[in-house]
Amino acid sequence: MKTVSQLFMACALALGSVTLAGAAHAEVDTKPKAAAKKPAKAKKDNKHSETGAAPAVSPADSEESAEPSVTDAAVTEFNCELGNKITIYTNASDDDHIALRWKKRLHRLKRVVTTTGAHRFENKVYGLIWIGIPAKGMLLDSKQNRQLANECKSPEQVNPLQAAEAAPAQG
């Protein structure tokens, strides 16, 4: 009869031979264990959120990330719900772009054609979308899928009769 220690040794030898047989069929890892770490994850670029600087962009998007010029532009102030304010600068010679001031930053937005007649402008770099309809305007954040400002109205939208009377007669 075998003793407990003899049984233990027999089991250990059997396990060792199975392990060695399995290792013969497995690929040999030549890297030391310390170097076999997972690759480090790329760090997020948080500079935009901290400093307000433009995120890294491709040359095609550089136009949208550059601060637009507002010289000789018509200015429209919008008062929105929750005390938010938006200023839009339009240039008569460039109907495809507007400059929009939101939270002390000026953004260039490009017109997107719609079938509804709404005025839609986007800046894909920052994810801003301005939608203007006759009754109001709204600013959306497409990156976070939320409204930034709603019920934005210019003085003409607040009181259209006064705006019509104040406008000079054409003719």
Side-chain angles (χ1 to χ4, degrees), residues 4-147:
V4 175
S5 62
Q6 288 174 334
L7 284 172
F8 181 73
M9 289 299 288
C11 288
L13 287 173
L15 284 174
S17 63
V18 169
T19 305
L20 287 176
H25 296 290
E27 291 184 25
V28 178
D29 187 10
T30 58
K31 295 180 184 176
K33 294 292 181 189
K37 291 181 181 178
K38 290 183 181 178
K41 290 183 180 179
K43 292 182 180 180
K44 280 188 166 182
D45 183 13
N46 290 331
K47 291 180 182 178
H48 173 62
S49 60
E50 293 172 4
T51 63
V57 294
S58 68
D61 293 333
S62 64
E63 183 178 283
E64 287 186 358
S65 63
E67 188 166 304
S69 172
V70 293
T71 56
D72 300 329
V75 180
T76 306
E77 300 280 339
F78 289 85
N79 291 315
C80 308
E81 67 182 2
L82 304 175
N84 292 314
K85 295 190 182 297
I86 292 176
T87 305
I88 293 186
Y89 302 89
T90 56
N91 192 335
S93 64
D94 185 8
D95 194 36
D96 289 336
H97 295 91
I98 61 168
L100 183 138
R101 182 171 302 282
W102 168 250
K103 299 282 182 181
K104 299 181 182 179
R105 175 139 177 110
L106 199 57
H107 301 277
R108 180 180 172 96
L109 282 73
K110 184 177 181 178
R111 180 180 297 276
V112 176
V113 179
T114 64
T115 58
T116 62
H119 298 284
R120 180 181 174 125
F121 293 87
E122 289 186 22
N123 182 311
K124 292 183 181 183
V125 173
Y126 292 99
L128 294 176
I129 299 172
W130 171 257
I131 298 175
I133 60 175
K136 68 175 186 172
M138 69 180 78
L139 184 63
L140 308 172
D141 183 341
S142 66
K143 294 191 183 245
Q144 295 182 1
N145 294 323
R146 65 185 183 104
Q147 289 184 6

Side-chain angles (χ1 to χ4, degrees), residues 162-170:
Q162 275 186 345
E165 291 172 0
Q170 294 183 4

